[in-house]
Amino acid sequence: MPRQKLRSFKIVQTTWNLKPLFTSDNDPRMKKKRNVVERKANEFINTWKDRSDYLEDPLVLCQALDQYEAWKRHYGTDGDEGYYFWLRTQQDQNNAKLKAGFNKVEDFSKKLENASQFFHLRIARIKPELHKTFLEHRALAGYRHFLERIFAESRYHLSEPEEKILNLKAATSYSNWTKMTSGFLSKEERTVMTEEGRRKTKPFSELAGLMSSKSKRVRDSAATAFNDILRKHAEVAEAELNSVLAHKKIDDELRGTSRPDELRHLADDIESEVVDTLVDSVAKRFAIPARYYRFKAKLHGVRKIEYHERNVEYGEVAKRYSYSRAVDVVHTALGKLDREFADIFDGFITNGQIDAYPKKGKDSGAFCIHHLMVQPTYILLNHTGKLHDVLTIAHELGHGINNELIKQKRHALDFGTPTSTAEVASTFMEDFVLDEILHAADDELRFAVMMQKLNDDVSSIFRQAACYRFEQELHHEFRQKGYLSKEIIGMLFQKHMAAYMGGAVEQSKGSENWWVYWNHIRYFFYVYSYASGLLISKSLQNAVKKDPSFIIKVKEFLSTGLSDSPKNTFAKLGIDIGNRQFWDKGIDEVERLLNETEQLAKKLGKIRK
Ligand SMILES: [Zn+2]
């Protein structure tokens, strides 16, 4: 009989239930299941490896893709075993037996991967004059975008022997260089002032964290050490970065691209014009971060913040949330948006798909992971009760909900999200949960939380757009001049940092070398995706706040997976993301938060007038 109904479920399971995969690390079914994976893979490989009719006849290609899809959906190259051991190593990183188990499956999987690679490569070599016939054939309609993606990339492929040479030379002309610089940096350590007021030797990797300390002595001491290390290696980094830029230029020339960021956009399934509009729209509103830093300087009672202390926190968020309280908050916020969101969350909890608490040996971060389409999604958390932990639940759950919505509507070859929109669902849920928390908070807590949120938004949106423009100019200048000295690189760097930070942040002495440790400029142009994900999310939030029924369109977007490009997907929903207005709506949300935070600061008497 129904008793008092407080919640629709009870949290009984706070560790992963991996039984849908295996019952234990020694489950006797492992070997049997692996044999099935091998058999299924070989069935596919042996059916198609010596045939070429599927490259000419759309109906035969459809047959091949159906078989390929079914294999990828149920078995892939490592089945349940690969997923199981990977998950187990995240729970227990120091367990050598688990690592060995994982490595063994990896080896097995690599062999099947190599043996089946021919399929993709040959589709990519379908003659361009046949592309249209294949893409427009009715039987292949479900695989249209999958084929479009392969064909689009194949335009830049070189001949097989040329690709082979590029591959073999990639380490010596590119990755060894970048590893060298990061290797030098990671070996550095310096004696600095710590929070406890004592001097202690700290490795390079810990200095960045110390620069956000509430104590100015600690921040400044860490910055002095940090700058000293970068100065020491700037000369080497100059030679390294020039090689990296030259390597990229040669690649682009051989492949015939028209701009340095073209292949990035292609890989991310986003049109260059969309990225251009995004970066432009953000840059046109650099007045917002400049105003934020002015406000922050005022709060800290200084005229200017130094470059290294721009992330220093203001206020204290002391409130604590037990795991079950946190789950309640997230559940409530999701339920208000859409019943199905809350139901998916219920399922994750009751089925044991969330590993909630920190444990010895467990991975220290947070993630949401999926593998084969038929396997459960798993979420790893390290809940300690901080407000940030509540937002992390919302974030990872956003990824999880995204997965489940895609599973309902798409096939295995479209199961996934393009990089450009991968963080939309996560930040969407995160922001709505934050609203729920702010709603119930007192003014002091609200103020501290809003300041943190602003800092995050400024870093993810405006800073990344500035970084993107710095990268663009680096490649452009290198291609014009042939070589860039460390002084020139530093000047370009400071120019782009000052552009979004405005006058209230000092481009302090030493900060001209901060490009030395920036990894992302060595991996080319992906930083825009932080801004695109968050701004698409904010633009959608803006629409839902105006009209709650818009959530239906949000769900449609979230269930697209890889079945179409973001631009086409939005176009079907009546939204043009090639238009500035779309991005401006997202940016408006940040400006609104800044306005509210400034007003609250006045109300609380933190700043005058
Ligand atoms: Zn994420």
Side-chain angles (χ1 to χ4, degrees), residues 223 226-228 230-232 234-235 237 241 307-308 470 474 485-497 506-518 521:
F226 196 78
N227 288 338
D228 181 53
L230 296 185
R231 192 181 314 111
K232 177 177 161 192
E235 196 96 38
L241 193 58
Y307 182 87
H308 66 266
F470 168 57
L474 259 186
S485 68
K486 63 180 197 296
E487 288 78 16
I488 296 282
I489 302 172
M491 248 172 53
L492 293 176
F493 175 79
Q494 287 193 319
K495 175 180 120 183
H496 287 283
M497 294 302 100
E506 181 80 53
Q507 300 300 312
S508 324
K509 180 104 195 67
S511 73
E512 70 276 6
N513 288 327
W514 280 44
W515 56 272
V516 169
Y517 89 103
W518 265 11
I521 57 174

Side-chain angles (χ1 to χ4, degrees), residues 366-368 395-396 399 422-427 430:
F367 60 73
C368 173
H395 183 103
E396 302 310 337
H399 286 303
E423 294 299 332
V424 174
S426 52
T427 51
E430 204 182 314

Side-chain angles (χ1 to χ4, degrees), residues 463-510:
R463 183 171 177 81
Q464 302 312 327
C467 292
Y468 194 87
R469 304 216 312 174
F470 168 57
E471 271 191 77
Q472 281 182 314
E473 201 174 354
L474 259 186
H475 289 273
H476 181 260
E477 286 297 288
F478 176 81
R479 288 170 194 207
Q480 295 278 310
K481 299 196 167 116
Y483 193 87
L484 303 176
S485 68
K486 63 180 197 296
E487 288 78 16
I488 296 282
I489 302 172
M491 248 172 53
L492 293 176
F493 175 79
Q494 287 193 319
K495 175 180 120 183
H496 287 283
M497 294 302 100
Y500 90 93
M501 292 174 171
V505 181
E506 181 80 53
Q507 300 300 312
S508 324
K509 180 104 195 67

Side-chain angles (χ1 to χ4, degrees), residues 72-345:
K72 290 273 168 181
R73 176 186 294 261
H74 296 281
Y75 308 99
T77 52
D78 60 0
D80 287 340
E81 216 184 339
Y83 196 32
Y84 178 84
F85 275 114
W86 188 84
L87 290 163
R88 289 286 294 123
T89 54
Q90 302 308 302
Q91 286 181 311
D92 193 355
Q93 294 181 312
N94 305 321
N95 187 327
K97 238 183 101 185
L98 292 176
K99 266 189 221 162
F102 179 69
N103 288 344
K104 253 183 14 211
V105 199
E106 273 277 273
D107 268 357
F108 166 82
S109 161
K110 269 269 143 55
K111 279 183 198 123
L112 293 182
E113 240 166 61
N114 289 339
S116 60
Q117 239 177 11
F118 72 91
F119 189 60
H120 251 255
L121 293 176
R122 285 190 201 157
I123 293 177
R125 295 197 187 280
I126 289 179
K127 294 189 201 82
E129 53 269 32
L130 288 178
H131 286 181
K132 212 171 157 223
T133 317
F134 277 86
L135 291 175
E136 287 173 1
H137 201 280
R138 254 207 344 242
L140 289 169
Y143 298 115
R144 187 186 54 84
H145 198 57
F146 175 76
L147 292 173
E148 269 175 356
R149 292 199 314 266
I150 298 182
F151 290 162
E153 287 194 12
S154 72
R155 245 182 285 135
Y156 300 93
H157 288 175
L158 303 174
S159 72
E160 237 166 279
E162 284 170 315
E163 288 289 350
K164 194 174 165 195
I165 293 170
L166 286 186
N167 239 325
L168 292 170
K169 288 273 195 188
T172 47
S173 83
Y174 171 64
S175 54
N176 285 358
W177 282 94
T178 62
K179 269 189 218 152
M180 174 189 69
T181 306
S182 61
F184 284 156
L185 294 175
S186 70
K187 284 188 195 101
E188 290 287 351
E189 50 182 29
R190 290 286 185 281
T191 305
V192 292
M193 185 58 73
T194 64
E195 303 274 1
E196 298 78 39
R198 278 195 310 257
R199 297 189 67 79
K200 238 177 141 181
T201 303
K202 292 277 178 187
F204 180 74
S205 60
E206 281 180 37
L207 296 176
L210 290 174
M211 284 186 270
S212 300
S213 163
K214 289 232 166 82
S215 151
K216 185 156 175 65
R217 271 181 76 201
V218 174
R219 299 200 288 273
D220 290 353
S221 155
T224 306
F226 196 78
N227 288 338
D228 181 53
I229 293 170
L230 296 185
R231 192 181 314 111
K232 177 177 161 192
H233 295 288
E235 196 96 38
V236 163
E238 172 189 308
E240 175 242 357
L241 193 58
N242 275 279
S243 299
V244 167
L245 293 170
H247 170 78
K248 173 78 168 113
K249 173 173 171 267
I250 294 167
D251 261 15
D252 281 347
E253 280 169 2
L254 290 173
R255 297 188 187 283
T257 63
S258 59
R259 43 190 280 180
D261 46 8
E262 192 170 329
L263 292 176
R264 161 64 57 194
H265 302 158
L266 189 72
D268 292 0
D269 206 7
I270 194 158
E271 294 75 4
S272 295
E273 50 147 325
V274 173
V275 178
D276 288 345
T277 311
L278 153 72
V279 174
D280 245 33
S281 309
V282 175
K284 286 218 165 66
R285 298 184 68 184
F286 276 168
I288 297 173
R291 199 179 119 204
Y292 164 69
Y293 285 120
R294 234 178 9 249
F295 172 54
K296 190 168 185 174
K298 222 191 241 179
L299 281 170
H300 286 274
V302 292
R303 209 172 54 80
K304 281 188 171 203
I305 301 172
E306 298 234 36
Y307 182 87
H308 66 266
E309 42 181 21
R310 68 190 184 284
N311 288 324
V312 65
E313 284 180 11
Y314 184 87
E316 192 90 52
V317 182
K319 195 170 161 63
R320 286 288 177 270
Y321 297 81
S322 69
Y323 181 57
S324 71
R325 174 91 195 99
V327 165
D328 264 347
V329 172
V330 176
H331 194 265
T332 307
L334 294 184
K336 281 184 191 166
L337 282 171
D338 188 79
R339 184 66 239 166
E340 196 183 359
F341 293 167
D343 288 345
I344 292 173
F345 190 19

Side-chain angles (χ1 to χ4, degrees), residues 399-434:
H399 286 303
I401 289 170
N402 201 356
N403 283 346
E404 298 307 310
L405 294 177
I406 297 169
K407 278 183 189 175
Q408 289 170 11
K409 290 217 179 147
R410 307 295 157 197
H411 57 63
L413 305 186
D414 287 338
F415 182 44
T417 45
T419 313
S420 50
T421 57
E423 294 299 332
V424 174
S426 52
T427 51
F428 184 87
M429 303 305 168
E430 204 182 314
D431 280 356
F432 273 106
V433 168
L434 188 73

